[in-house]
Amino acid sequence: EAGVAQSPRYKIIEKRQSVAFWCNPISGHATLYWYQQILGQGPKLLIQFQNNGVVDDSQLPKDRFSAERLKGVDSTLKIQPAKLEDSAVYLCASSPREAGELFFGEGSRLTVL
Amino acid sequence: SQQGEEDPQALSIQEGENATMNCSYKTSINNLQWYRQNSGRGLVHLILIRSNEREKHSGRLRVTLDTSKKSSSLLITASRAADTASYFCATAGGTSYGKLTFGQGTILTVHP
């Protein structure tokens, strides 16, 4: 079966610019997660969707980050405006059920200059 | 803040030796999972152990869970150079069922 697809793989932007990341989860997976992984650290949950509803976005910096999951399938994560500390890998993961194993994409590496 | 904390932060061993990584957590859990991440790649699920289980095996992997001590260990037996990666524990459940919280990880280096 096809894995979790993410794009772009790499993105370099100037601070205060905007960027968007796209994720296509494994078909049939109702739960979708966006994680931020700063170099040398573990992934930090930004937002969790169940179908197209938000389950948890308590750690999403809502003044600059937004995410949506239209029709309960694909998802986009947007950062506007970007700050230097947003430099990280943004990982998308999906799961067939809550609290089950996660299937991760390869990630989108963001560098903010 | 991170729920799980791995120990050691880094581990360097020779091929054929066993590698043991530990994870401690703070709140009650539904399950605990271990993931591997090769450099520059996404995370790969290794094993899931539920809160009512004490030990689980998968190939060369052995995971134990002690809920009274809020700790887990991952043992990789007969390690190979290909096992070189970062290993993360992640906890799910408690008051945030479905939210998977990761630790900082252990960097394992296996020398040929």
Side-chain angles (χ1 to χ4, degrees):
Chain A
E1 83 188 340
V4 176
Q6 287 190 248
S7 69
R9 284 278 281 138
Y10 305 94
K11 189 74 176 179
I12 301 174
I13 61 173
E14 301 278 335
K15 60 183 179 183
R16 289 188 289 275
Q17 286 186 325
S18 63
V19 63
F21 302 112
W22 173 82
C23 173
N24 181 233
I26 292 173
S27 178
H29 282 194
T31 311
L32 184 148
Y33 305 79
W34 282 102
Y35 283 87
Q36 179 194 58
Q37 186 176 26
I38 292 172
L39 187 64
Q41 298 184 17
K44 171 189 157 188
L45 179 67
L46 293 176
I47 190 166
Q48 176 188 347
F49 292 96
Q50 182 72 17
N51 296 308
N52 60 346
V54 175
V55 175
D56 189 320
D57 64 356
S58 57
Q59 297 189 90
L60 186 74
K62 297 181 187 60
D63 58 334
R64 299 184 300 107
F65 285 64
S66 64
E68 60 181 7
R69 189 182 185 196
L70 298 176
K71 300 181 182 177
V73 182
D74 292 8
S75 177
T76 56
L77 175 71
K78 296 179 182 176
I79 308 174
Q80 181 179 12
K83 292 185 175 180
L84 296 177
E85 58 261 37
D86 298 332
S87 293
V89 176
Y90 291 86
L91 295 163
C92 179
S94 68
S95 179
R97 57 191 175 280
E98 281 191 293
E101 65 177 284
L102 301 191
F103 296 81
F104 280 86
E106 293 293 325
S108 294
R109 181 178 296 276
L110 173 66
T111 301
V112 182
L113 303 176
Chain B
S1 62
Q2 304 286 25
Q3 160 81 309
E5 295 295 334
E6 285 93 339
D7 170 61
Q9 290 188 338
L11 181 61
S12 181
I13 60 174
Q14 296 295 128
E15 245 184 351
E17 294 181 339
N18 295 341
T20 300
M21 288 159 266
N22 303 297
C23 170
S24 60
Y25 57 92
K26 296 181 178 132
T27 61
S28 63
I29 60 171
N30 175 272
N31 67 63
L32 185 143
Q33 304 178 31
W34 285 91
Y35 289 79
R36 183 187 75 224
Q37 184 177 38
N38 290 87
S39 182
R41 307 296 297 274
L43 284 79
V44 174
H45 180 266
L46 295 176
I47 199 164
L48 180 155
I49 186 165
R50 303 186 194 286
S51 59
N52 61 353
E53 297 175 310
R54 291 296 167 257
E55 189 170 312
K56 206 160 182 181
H57 297 256
S58 176
R60 294 184 295 113
L61 306 180
R62 172 178 168 249
V63 168
T64 60
L65 179 64
D66 187 334
T67 52
S68 67
K69 295 181 179 177
K70 292 187 170 60
S71 66
S72 173
S73 66
L74 170 67
L75 169 67
I76 304 174
T77 59
S79 63
R80 305 166 181 166
D83 294 329
T84 294
S86 293
Y87 291 81
F88 295 91
C89 69
T91 53
T95 57
S96 301
Y97 185 77
K99 176 179 176 179
L100 206 61
T101 304
F102 286 81
Q104 299 281 40
T106 293
I107 300 171
L108 173 65
T109 304
V110 182
H111 300 281

